[in-house]
Amino acid sequence: MKKLFFYLIILTFFLPYLSTAQNYNPSSYKLDRVELSQEEQKLYNLIMEYRKQKGLPSIPLSKSLTYVAQVHAWDVAVNKPNANRECNMHSWSSAGSWSSCCYTKDHAQAKCMWNKPREMTNYKGNGYEISSGGGSSMTAESALKSWKGSKGHNNVIINNDIWKNSNWQAIGIGMYEGYAMVWFGKSKDEQKTSMGFGSSSNTDNVAGKEMQKGNSMTTNQRIYSPNKQHYLVMQSDGNLVVYTKNDHPIWATDTYGKGNGCRLDMQTDGHLVIYNANNRAIWASGTHSSRNAKYAQKEWKPIKMVFTNGGFVTLISATGKIVWTSKNSKGERL
């Protein structure tokens, strides 16, 4: 156990189910609708290419471990269970229905983490996690670079040292607001439900109801996903919310009570913004060149909002690039 690297663990957990959109939690992370974002898919591809360079086989993508990875990334980013200096990024908060723990460098809470895949999913084995984060500019490339530069993390990825005889049969990917988590497992994932993937170069995988630049959603107006499984509504209380067809909230801007008569604008400058009746901005996607100069470039400047079958609000550039998605971001409350 002492040989385990500081940031290696085994994980899984259980998500709370929401009853109100105002008290938002990541109920969008449900096992039967797990999808990889564009950046998560890129990270998976980069890791597999790196293993190929080392003469190692690809690892099957696991829906169960991806589910765990995505929620843990959310938990660390939002609830910050590692705020205490003694607790590292493998810790879990007490904000959900999973078992919480402060994961320390002596691995005293290892079982708390190792049992996580069995807490929520039907995955039979343990899960081993590598994590990276703490900055707002986390990308697939920067995550892999950080792990390749760390002997302990790198050994897990390429089955070196104490991991030499570990035959990885499953891998899960999760990224959220500056954090990246990758989980490895020695057991095959028996979860049969298919997984969706984000598009790396076009909008084939984000086909959905569109709102072109210059258009708006007004109070109580709805947009339905093409498969009718989800709908987006600009509520009269100022909250923009995604619901399932059974009226369960799965994502929200958390702008409840910020104003009446609100509208959602897909602006010509690429910014998706909620304004109240006084024309004061109360929420934005953050995809404006004033936030980051790259959004002035054709490749990065959104020209439309697409509401996908998976229930994600997605911004697309003129080149077809997925610039922003509610899958990985809550946007900015103003």
Side-chain angles (χ1 to χ4, degrees):
M1 189 71 65
K2 294 294 185 180
K3 291 185 178 180
L4 287 178
F5 189 73
F6 182 76
Y7 281 130
L8 302 179
I9 68 169
I10 303 172
L11 308 163
T12 288
F13 79 88
F14 196 19
L15 261 184
Y17 199 86
L18 291 186
S19 59
T20 64
Q22 290 77 18
N23 297 317
Y24 174 75
N25 271 319
S27 63
S28 58
Y29 296 116
K30 294 206 173 286
L31 188 58
D32 62 354
R33 63 191 297 268
V34 169
E35 296 181 353
L36 287 184
S37 69
Q38 177 193 16
E39 205 65 21
E40 288 167 342
Q41 182 183 346
K42 182 187 296 184
L43 180 54
Y44 172 76
N45 292 340
L46 287 174
I47 292 175
M48 293 308 105
E49 179 60 30
Y50 180 45
R51 284 177 57 84
K52 182 179 179 180
Q53 293 171 7
K54 299 294 183 179
L56 298 169
S58 293
I59 307 171
L61 192 61
S62 162
K63 195 176 186 73
S64 298
L65 294 187
T66 292
Y67 173 54
V68 175
Q70 290 179 344
V71 180
H72 192 215
W74 178 90
D75 184 47
V76 172
V78 175
N79 297 314
K80 305 185 185 309
N82 58 325
N84 184 320
R85 289 185 178 182
E86 295 182 357
C87 308
N88 62 38
M89 280 188 286
H90 301 309
S91 303
W92 288 77
S93 76
S94 59
S97 298
W98 52 77
S99 59
S100 63
C101 63
C102 170
Y103 199 95
T104 53
K105 62 182 180 181
D106 62 0
H107 308 289
Q109 295 295 324
K111 288 185 178 180
C112 169
M113 310 312 295
W114 293 345
N115 292 332
K116 278 289 187 289
R118 290 182 291 274
E119 285 184 22
M120 182 59 183
T121 74
N122 291 323
Y123 189 75
K124 304 300 182 183
N126 292 337
Y128 304 83
E129 183 194 55
I130 60 175
S131 60
S132 182
S136 59
S137 58
M138 177 64 65
T139 64
E141 291 87 354
S142 62
L144 182 56
K145 181 179 180 180
S146 70
W147 293 325
K148 289 170 71 173
S150 167
K151 184 177 180 180
H153 294 83
N154 191 56
N155 286 341
V156 177
I157 297 173
I158 61 174
N159 295 111
N160 198 14
D161 197 26
I162 63 172
W163 308 100
K164 184 175 181 178
N165 296 319
S166 296
N167 182 19
W168 299 134
Q169 295 294 312
I171 189 172
I173 311 291
M175 298 181 73
Y176 189 88
E177 295 193 350
Y179 291 90
M181 313 292 189
V182 176
W183 299 57
F184 297 82
K186 300 177 184 179
S187 302
K188 292 183 179 179
D189 188 2
E190 301 301 327
Q191 176 61 240
K192 300 299 183 181
T193 309
S194 60
M195 184 183 294
F197 296 87
S199 171
S200 59
S201 61
N202 55 57
T203 60
D204 291 346
N205 292 94
V206 292
K209 296 294 184 179
E210 299 181 0
M211 186 165 75
Q212 300 291 332
K213 61 182 181 180
N215 291 332
S216 301
M217 280 182 66
T218 56
T219 299
N220 294 325
Q221 189 172 8
R222 298 183 179 186
I223 295 179
Y224 287 86
S225 62
N227 61 5
K228 306 298 183 183
Q229 297 300 302
H230 307 88
Y231 64 92
L232 176 70
V233 57
M234 184 66 257
Q235 296 184 168
S236 58
D237 59 14
N239 216 6
L240 180 69
V241 187
V242 175
Y243 289 92
T244 68
K245 65 177 182 179
N246 296 320
D247 298 323
H248 294 298
I250 61 173
W251 181 88
T253 53
D254 292 344
T255 46
Y256 172 76
K258 294 292 184 179
N260 298 316
C262 294
R263 71 181 190 276
L264 176 69
D265 286 0
M266 180 64 248
Q267 299 183 168
T268 56
D269 60 9
H271 222 181
L272 187 67
V273 185
I274 297 176
Y275 291 92
N276 63 19
N278 296 321
N279 284 322
R280 184 177 72 84
I282 61 173
W283 178 91
S285 59
T287 52
H288 188 271
S289 58
S290 62
R291 302 290 201 278
N292 191 316
K294 72 179 183 180
Y295 292 121
Q297 303 171 19
K298 182 178 181 181
E299 181 184 8
W300 286 95
K301 184 178 180 179
I303 62 168
K304 62 183 176 181
M305 183 272 282
V306 177
F307 187 52
T308 72
N309 279 332
F312 302 119
V313 179
T314 306
L315 299 183
I316 309 297
S317 72
T319 62
K321 186 180 184 67
I322 301 174
V323 175
W324 181 93
T325 172
S326 61
K327 173 67 160 47
N328 292 325
S329 178
K330 291 281 289 176
E332 303 173 357
R333 284 178 292 177
L334 305 175

